[in-house]
Amino acid sequence: MVVYVLLMICCWIFSEIPMNWFDDGESMEQKAGFFGSRQKIWFRLWERLSRSGWKIYHCYQYIGPRNVRQTWWRKVLVAWVLVSIFGSMSVFWYMNSHTTEKRKETLASMCDERARMLQDQFNVSMNHLQALAILVSTFHHGKNPSAIDQMTFARYTERTAFERPLTSGVAYAVKVLHAQRAQFEKQQGWTIKRMDTHEPSPIHEEYAPVIFAQDTISHVVSLDMLSGKEDCDNVLRARASGTGVLTAPFRLLKSNRLGVILTFAVYKSELPANATPDERIQATDGYLGGVFDIESLVEKLLHQLASKQTIIVNVYDITNSSDPISMYGSSAADNSTCHVSSLSFGDPFKKHEMRCRFKHKPPLPWLEIVSSFGILVIASLIGYIFHATMSRIEKVEEDFLEMMELKKRAEAADVAKSQFLATVSHEIRTPMNGVLGMLQMLMDTDLDITQQDYVRTAQDSGKALVSLINEVLDQAKIESGKLVLEAVRFKPRAILDDVLSLFSGKSQDKGIELAVYISDRVPEFVIGDPGRFRQIITNLMGNSIKFTEKGHIFVTVHLVEEVMGSIEVETEASSANTLNTLSGFPVADKRRSWESFKAFNQESPMFPQTFSSTSSEFIDVIVSVEDTGVGIPRESQSLIFTPFMQVGPSISRTHGGTGIGLSISKCLVGLMNGEIGFVSEPQIGSTFTFTAVFTNDRTNSMEYKSRQPQQINGLSESPLSEFQGMTALVVDPRPVRAKVTKYYLQRLGMSVEMANDLNQAFSSIAGGLGIINVVLVDNEAWSKDTDLASCFSNKLRKDGGSDSPKLFLLANSISSTKINAATSHVYFPTVIMKPLRASMLAASLQRAMGVGNKGNGRNGTVPLLSLHNLLHGKQILVVDDNVVNLRVAAGALKKYGAQVASADSGKKAITMLKPPHDFDACFMDIQMPEMDGFEATRRIRDMEHDVNSRIRHGEVSLEAYRNVAHWHTPILAMTADVIQATHEECTKCGMDGYVSKPFEGEQLYREVTRFFKSTASKSQ
């Protein structure tokens, strides 16, 4: 268990350290770039180890036994605290013991040094006394008469006292027998006295009176050394042993200080080394004694040492170990540390020792205390870290369990939300499908103008409701992170034409200019999500239409590198106050809308300058939507991309909307690896700009799925051949608007000449610039001077005859009354209503000039003949539990010539689609009772797989299944559910396509072209 906990902590520490050094992957790479190759290898190895440590940490954190994390670690912590306390005490004891031992060693060294010095000095003095004894033996007993007397001895010993610094006096006692006493006393002139009473010594066999003495102890002359018991023993031992003998310590007579007497025997002649005690006694002539003042001796010794004050010295005579005699120092008991050094003064019968102790008590062991306390603190910190770590781990585990529980709830709530959205979408869109379908069927009946207007109004309201539902669902998918972009081949110019068609009616009703300009450098085809691209532009243009009452709305599309290269296109180089705009109204400076984009940051590594080049793999386009509306209040501009936020409380009441269009657009732009920004000036207008990254179709178009070529807006992928080689003259006083007209004419393959007014147009035509086939005059230039306009039109008719240029008037509906008033009495030119669209412009020119196909339908609609050719005679099964939806779907398909059969449940569909059958396709609803469309499709695919397997293995004859070797009936999902998960589920269960309710002709055409070929193509 302990190993488990330690391993878990190590993994946690190992995983936490390294990655906190770097902010992100980019900074790590930048920092690694400063290292060499070897350092980079270590850097990457450390990163991998840290990640592994993090994984191991999580593994041990969440897989290990729960009781370890909740119980055992507390026991380990208690054990750690106890071990820490014991360890700190052990460290204190060890360090203190070491200090004490060092103190003892220091004391022993100092004490041994003093004992050795004292012993050495005593030996020196003892040698001098022995030499003096030899001197006395030689010159006193060896000479007759004696060469030494009391005065000579006193003077000699006084002069040589420096050689005996430890002695306080020297005396010589002669050996006198009782028979010789009288003669000796008579000769000396004094009587032998006792040492203790100084009275004449009683009769003894032998006497040892002092005859010579140093002046310092001259009072001992005539005293019998054998009269004292201690002195007598020493004298007898000295002559028997032949060595110096010490007395016990005693008080000196004059100084009253402790002292000892060292006694040497003086022999008559040289004795052999192995002389017997009797021989020594017989050869003895006298006794030489030296008085040592022990206290003075030790004092002098300590004064010679610098550390005399550090320790206290005591000298003891321990001959009697039970009762040692203090020779120096205090005898008071002391429990402090004491060291004993032995002393040898030459007397084998006497034992002495020196006892030393420190003068002061040892200081408090602060180092030991601080060290042990520090160790205890460190251990406590480690314990605290361990406690905090384990508590953190426990807290993280609890949070993890809580998070997992919340995650399960959130996932369940997300599933419930998705199911709710799917259900709500289905339940709302299903009746809407019936409403819109029935309205469309009603439009196909014979209605008068008023009834058609009512039906169109109802259809518009229903479509607005469907659009609102789609926006709410898109927001839900964005919040759940399930919004995925497509990667298909499409034409950006066709997308913009579609959006123009969507808003052309509103712009004409308001009388505002609406135009689109796409740079020539933008490729014809790119790969991306056309639906989401259209949705972004639709949201931005819808807001502009909603808030613009006068002026214009101008959409421009360029490559990012064009703007970065400061190419002046239209208003790129114009300031906000310049009137060189589409309508002449001032606009907000669009350059401020993209100034914070990373794509325009030259130092940004994510957006190199060549990123959007047409020769590279990616295409980076920038789209601007410029309007001259009311603008956005400055206090509301920071909330403009917040979901469900309106710039003012009255906006939703005045203009409608949910406030989520811009939020969705920002998310979609982000998914396209782009950015979005805006600039807005109140009462001037707003400009929204965004970038989007697409894939260049020319580099890897084969890697993406591609839709069938669409005749969008009635144009093929190349300019119409009937307009090739023609020349058009555009008369417009506004360069921006003239350039837009030129852009659309060039898309048709025409050459374009420009004129600012009718006078310049006259000059251009009269100047012989070539054959002018078409003249397009903007209403502003036409209505400026009606007389000039009449003259211009008459001159064209008169000079050109039957080959005169065709005259067209470009106008908004608001100026139609002026047109009628100005031209009621003159030639009436053909009016082309703005906004210009390629298909509408081509159709108008074809009708007026009598060339090309005159039967194109309305802009953006699917030719009825194409759908009729595709579906004519096809047997189609429609499966839906809703009777209204069955009628709508059946009616829509029958309108295009299909033969429709119906089924109101999945079980009936399985029975009807069991091979062999006559159906060419099936439109299957997804949400149905008893058995939904997914399950029904799975069972149908299983049946087909079983039949195909049996046919392949020859178990059944091919004729029994109408000579069809491989059965696979196209099944298209037909549901009101537009959640992304539904798309995935449709593909997973074996469906071939997806049609959301309510479906329209174009949607049907796009899906059925994947399976059916038109009868026209078959006939060819």
Side-chain angles (χ1 to χ4, degrees):
M1 297 298 180
V2 176
V3 174
Y4 163 80
V5 173
L6 294 178
L7 180 60
M8 186 163 53
I9 294 175
C10 292
C11 291
W12 173 74
I13 295 174
F14 187 68
S15 63
E16 283 292 325
I17 291 175
M19 289 302 102
N20 292 334
W21 298 339
F22 310 107
D23 294 332
D24 50 30
E26 181 180 353
S27 63
M28 289 170 60
E29 291 297 329
Q30 291 175 354
K31 294 185 180 181
F34 292 103
F35 304 142
S37 59
R38 183 175 300 177
Q39 287 79 357
K40 287 184 179 180
I41 294 175
W42 283 108
F43 183 84
R44 293 169 182 169
L45 178 62
W46 177 256
E47 180 182 0
R48 292 181 180 177
L49 289 176
S50 65
R51 293 176 180 174
S52 300
W54 180 252
K55 294 177 180 177
I56 295 173
Y57 162 67
H58 279 285
C59 176
Y60 276 90
Q61 181 180 2
Y62 300 123
I63 299 179
R66 187 178 179 84
N67 59 348
V68 170
R69 297 187 295 273
Q70 294 187 349
T71 304
W72 282 98
W73 72 267
R74 290 187 172 87
K75 296 181 180 179
V76 172
L77 182 61
V78 173
W80 173 261
V81 172
L82 296 178
V83 170
S84 301
I85 296 174
F86 176 77
S88 64
M89 295 177 64
S90 299
V91 170
F92 175 79
W93 175 84
Y94 172 77
M95 295 183 66
N96 190 51
S97 300
H98 184 68
T99 303
T100 303
E101 288 298 324
K102 289 185 65 176
R103 184 178 175 86
K104 288 181 179 180
E105 291 176 1
T106 302
L107 179 62
S109 176
M110 297 174 67
C111 190
D112 291 342
E113 180 185 12
R114 284 156 177 74
R116 185 175 60 255
M117 293 179 64
L118 178 62
Q119 184 172 299
D120 292 344
Q121 293 187 18
F122 190 86
N123 289 337
V124 170
S125 298
M126 184 174 65
N127 291 336
H128 280 283
L129 286 176
Q130 193 171 7
L132 185 60
I134 295 173
L135 179 67
V136 171
S137 173
T138 301
F139 290 97
H140 178 65
H141 295 286
K143 298 291 184 179
N144 192 12
S146 173
I148 300 175
D149 56 9
Q150 168 60 29
M151 183 178 296
T152 302
F153 185 85
R155 292 179 62 185
Y156 176 78
T157 53
E158 186 68 27
R159 290 181 179 180
T160 59
F162 68 93
E163 296 179 346
R164 303 177 301 280
L166 303 183
T167 59
S168 59
V170 181
Y172 176 70
V174 68
K175 177 181 177 182
V176 178
L177 299 176
H178 181 67
Q180 299 172 347
R181 177 178 179 177
Q183 183 182 358
F184 177 78
E185 289 180 345
K186 182 178 178 181
Q187 183 180 355
Q188 295 293 332
W190 39 261
T191 303
I192 300 174
K193 302 181 182 64
R194 292 173 58 90
M195 290 187 65
D196 50 355
T197 61
H198 288 204
E199 294 179 355
S201 176
I203 298 174
H204 295 287
E205 294 181 358
E206 184 179 344
Y207 304 96
V210 177
I211 60 174
F212 301 139
Q214 191 175 346
D215 290 342
T216 56
I217 54 172
S218 59
H219 60 278
V220 300
V221 175
S222 73
L223 296 180
D224 183 9
M225 302 303 295
L226 295 179
S227 61
K229 185 177 182 309
E230 180 72 20
D231 295 325
C232 179
D233 293 339
N234 287 345
V235 169
L236 295 179
R237 284 192 299 111
R239 70 183 185 181
S241 62
T243 60
V245 177
L246 288 174
T247 63
F250 63 93
R251 295 288 176 181
L252 298 179
L253 295 178
K254 288 187 176 181
S255 63
N256 198 32
R257 299 167 69 91
L258 286 175
V260 294
I261 297 176
L262 177 62
T263 304
F264 283 96
V266 179
Y267 298 103
K268 294 179 181 181
S269 59
E270 293 292 334
L271 292 175
N274 57 352
T276 63
D278 291 339
E279 290 177 347
R280 293 180 181 279
I281 292 173
Q282 292 298 326
T284 301
D285 281 337
Y287 312 95
L288 181 68
V291 181
F292 289 84
D293 187 346
I294 297 299
E295 293 187 7
S296 298
L297 174 66
V298 177
E299 287 290 342
K300 291 179 182 179
L301 174 64
L302 295 180
H303 276 290
Q304 295 177 8
L305 299 175
S307 58
K308 64 182 186 298
Q309 300 297 331
T310 306
I311 61 174
I312 298 175
V313 177
N314 288 339
V315 180
Y316 288 91
D317 183 345
I318 57 171
T319 304
N320 183 6
S321 59
S322 61
D323 186 19
I325 300 173
S326 177
M327 300 175 64
Y328 176 78
S330 174
S331 59
D334 193 345
N335 295 328
S336 61
T337 302
C338 179
H339 180 75
V340 178
S341 298
S342 61
L343 295 172
S344 177
F345 293 142
D347 186 351
F349 297 100
K350 293 290 186 178
K351 296 181 180 180
H352 301 84
E353 67 181 15
M354 178 181 289
R355 298 179 182 177
C356 303
R357 66 180 185 275
F358 284 104
K359 187 174 184 180
H360 303 288
K361 293 183 178 180
L364 288 175
W366 288 111
L367 179 61
E368 292 80 358
I369 293 174
V370 171
S371 299
S372 60
F373 181 75
I375 293 175
L376 182 60
V377 169
I378 294 174
S380 300
L381 289 176
I382 295 175
Y384 175 77
I385 294 174
F386 176 79
H387 176 270
T389 301
M390 295 306 298
S391 299
R392 174 65 176 172
I393 292 174
E394 193 174 76
K395 180 65 167 56
V396 168
E397 183 186 18
E398 294 176 357
D399 293 344
F400 174 77
L401 296 176
E402 183 179 357
M403 181 185 68
M404 292 301 295
E405 181 65 26
L406 294 176
K407 181 175 178 290
K408 291 179 181 178
R409 297 180 183 177
E411 290 175 348
D414 186 61
V415 171
K417 177 182 177 181
S418 299
Q419 293 176 349
F420 172 77
L421 289 174
T423 303
V424 169
S425 171
H426 183 272
E427 295 302 325
I428 295 178
R429 292 171 66 94
T430 296
M432 284 305 302
N433 176 52
V435 171
L436 294 178
M438 288 299 178
L439 289 174
Q440 184 61 43
M441 294 175 67
L442 182 60
M443 283 291 293
D444 295 335
T445 62
D446 187 13
L447 302 176
D448 58 30
I449 296 178
T450 303
Q451 291 171 333
Q452 290 181 1
D453 182 61
Y454 291 164
V455 173
R456 289 194 186 95
T457 303
Q459 281 185 320
D460 291 341
S461 299
K463 291 179 179 179
L465 180 57
V466 172
S467 176
L468 175 60
I469 295 172
N470 290 337
E471 286 186 349
V472 174
L473 292 177
D474 281 342
Q475 184 66 30
K477 286 190 285 185
I478 290 172
E479 292 176 354
S480 62
K482 296 180 179 179
L483 190 62
V484 181
L485 298 183
E486 289 183 312
V488 298
R489 185 170 178 261
F490 72 95
K491 301 169 70 173
R493 290 174 176 81
I495 295 295
L496 269 297
D497 285 346
D498 289 344
V499 177
L500 272 181
S501 300
L502 182 63
F503 294 106
S504 61
K506 293 183 179 179
S507 64
Q508 292 171 2
D509 292 341
K510 288 190 172 185
I512 60 177
E513 293 276 359
L514 179 60
V516 170
Y517 176 83
I518 301 180
S519 169
D520 293 336
R521 297 186 60 182
V522 177
E524 184 70 17
F525 287 94
V526 295
I527 295 175
D529 192 328
R532 298 303 181 182
F533 184 62
R534 179 190 291 109
Q535 184 177 356
I536 297 172
I537 299 176
T538 300
N539 285 339
L540 297 180
M541 290 185 66
N543 288 336
S544 296
I545 287 287
K546 187 186 303 182
F547 296 105
T548 303
E549 300 297 333
K550 59 182 179 178
H552 69 267
I553 297 171
F554 189 29
V555 182
T556 59
V557 183
H558 297 88
L559 297 183
V560 169
E561 63 181 6
E562 290 185 79
V563 181
M564 293 174 63
S566 301
I567 298 177
E568 297 186 1
V569 187
E570 306 302 337
T571 59
E572 255 70 1
S574 302
S575 65
N577 295 325
T578 303
L579 301 185
N580 184 22
T581 61
L582 185 69
S583 62
F585 284 81
V587 296
D589 186 3
K590 68 169 64 176
R591 290 173 296 182
R592 291 168 50 198
S593 65
W594 65 60
E595 60 185 6
S596 62
F597 286 4
K598 293 181 180 179
F600 295 88
N601 183 3
Q602 301 292 338
E603 300 177 357
S604 176
M606 296 180 59
F607 295 92
Q609 292 185 9
T610 60
F611 184 76
S612 59
S613 175
T614 55
S615 62
S616 67
E617 181 181 359
F618 298 103
I619 301 297
D620 195 0
V621 301
I622 180 169
V623 181
S624 294
V625 179
E626 172 188 284
D627 67 58
T628 56
V630 296
I632 304 172
R634 300 188 187 279
E635 63 273 11
S636 302
Q637 292 184 6
S638 60
L639 306 175
I640 199 67
F641 292 109
T642 305
F644 303 104
M645 292 295 294
Q646 298 280 7
V647 297
S650 62
I651 293 298
S652 60
R653 295 194 301 268
T654 305
H655 300 282
T658 60
I660 60 176
L662 289 177
S663 173
I664 294 174
S665 298
K666 183 176 183 181
C667 177
L668 295 177
V669 168
L671 292 176
M672 294 180 181
N673 297 320
E675 300 170 278
I676 187 171
F678 72 96
V679 60
S680 182
E681 296 291 340
Q683 306 307 319
I684 293 179
S686 304
T687 299
F688 281 80
T689 302
F690 72 92
T691 61
V693 179
F694 300 111
T695 303
N696 196 336
D697 177 54
R698 293 188 299 175
T699 58
N700 57 355
S701 60
M702 298 303 295
E703 299 180 11
Y704 293 85
K705 56 184 179 177
S706 176
R707 293 179 176 173
Q708 296 292 330
Q710 303 176 30
Q711 300 293 326
I712 299 179
N713 301 326
L715 290 177
S716 64
E717 297 182 9
S718 61
L720 297 179
S721 59
E722 57 264 28
F723 297 118
Q724 292 286 348
M726 291 187 178
T727 303
L729 175 63
V730 176
V731 183
D732 197 326
R734 302 201 176 276
V736 175
R737 190 167 56 198
K739 195 165 188 177
V740 172
T741 306
K742 179 180 179 181
Y743 156 72
Y744 282 104
L745 292 172
Q746 287 178 337
R747 286 183 62 185
L748 300 181
M750 291 185 176
S751 299
V752 182
E753 299 294 335
M754 310 288 286
N756 293 331
D757 51 31
L758 293 177
N759 289 324
Q760 188 175 356
F762 272 125
S763 302
S764 298
I765 296 174
L769 295 177
I771 299 176
I772 302 297
N773 305 101
V774 179
V775 178
L776 294 94
V777 183
D778 188 83
N779 181 57
E780 183 177 351
W782 184 265
S783 60
K784 186 175 182 181
D785 190 341
T786 57
D787 295 334
L788 182 61
S790 299
C791 181
F792 180 77
S793 62
N794 292 332
K795 184 175 181 56
L796 285 181
R797 293 178 61 192
K798 181 185 301 184
D799 294 344
S802 60
D803 295 330
S804 63
K806 300 298 181 181
L807 180 61
F808 296 90
L809 186 62
L810 304 179
N812 296 318
S813 61
I814 195 172
S815 58
S816 60
T817 56
K818 297 181 180 180
I819 294 172
N820 295 332
T823 62
S824 58
H825 60 283
V826 297
Y827 166 69
F828 190 82
T830 302
V831 178
I832 299 178
M833 299 301 298
K834 292 187 287 187
L836 295 180
R837 286 152 291 169
S839 60
M840 178 270 295
L841 182 60
S844 299
L845 294 177
Q846 287 171 346
R847 284 194 300 268
M849 301 176 67
V851 297
N853 181 15
K854 304 177 184 179
N856 285 345
R858 293 183 59 192
N859 177 37
T861 63
V862 178
L864 297 180
L865 182 58
S866 298
L867 263 178
H868 190 274
N869 291 335
L870 286 172
L871 296 177
H872 180 73
K874 302 297 183 183
Q875 296 285 342
I876 297 178
L877 175 64
V878 178
V879 184
D880 200 317
D881 62 309
N882 189 285
V883 179
V884 176
N885 288 340
L886 280 176
R887 292 181 59 187
V888 171
L893 294 172
K894 288 178 181 179
K895 183 175 65 173
Y896 302 121
Q899 297 179 13
V900 181
S902 301
D904 59 1
S905 68
K907 292 182 179 180
K908 289 184 180 181
I910 295 174
T911 303
M912 298 176 70
L913 291 178
K914 182 177 181 181
H917 58 76
D918 298 325
F919 294 106
D920 297 296
C922 173
F923 284 78
M924 176 88 64
D925 187 27
I926 290 179
Q927 294 184 356
M928 295 184 294
E930 297 184 9
M931 181 183 296
D932 59 21
F934 297 138
E935 182 62 26
T937 302
R938 291 190 190 97
R939 295 192 183 185
I940 293 171
R941 294 307 182 209
D942 291 340
M943 286 193 309
E944 293 175 343
H945 177 73
D946 181 64
V947 170
N948 293 334
S949 177
R950 293 170 63 189
I951 293 175
R952 188 167 54 254
H953 291 88
E955 298 178 5
V956 295
S957 63
L958 193 60
E959 292 76 9
Y961 287 89
R962 301 180 183 178
N963 295 320
V964 178
H966 182 78
W967 283 89
H968 182 88
T969 304
I971 300 178
L972 300 177
M974 183 180 63
T975 180
D977 186 1
V978 292
I979 302 298
Q980 178 67 27
T982 306
H983 290 266
E984 300 171 358
E985 187 65 24
C986 289
T987 304
K988 185 177 180 181
C989 73
M991 291 184 173
D992 299 283
Y994 188 96
V995 179
S996 63
K997 299 177 184 178
F999 56 83
E1000 297 178 353
E1002 182 180 352
Q1003 189 178 27
L1004 280 175
Y1005 179 81
R1006 185 169 58 249
E1007 293 298 330
V1008 299
T1009 51
R1010 299 168 55 193
F1011 310 108
F1012 304 145
K1013 294 183 178 180
S1014 67
T1015 57
S1017 62
K1018 285 182 181 181
S1019 64
Q1020 295 174 359

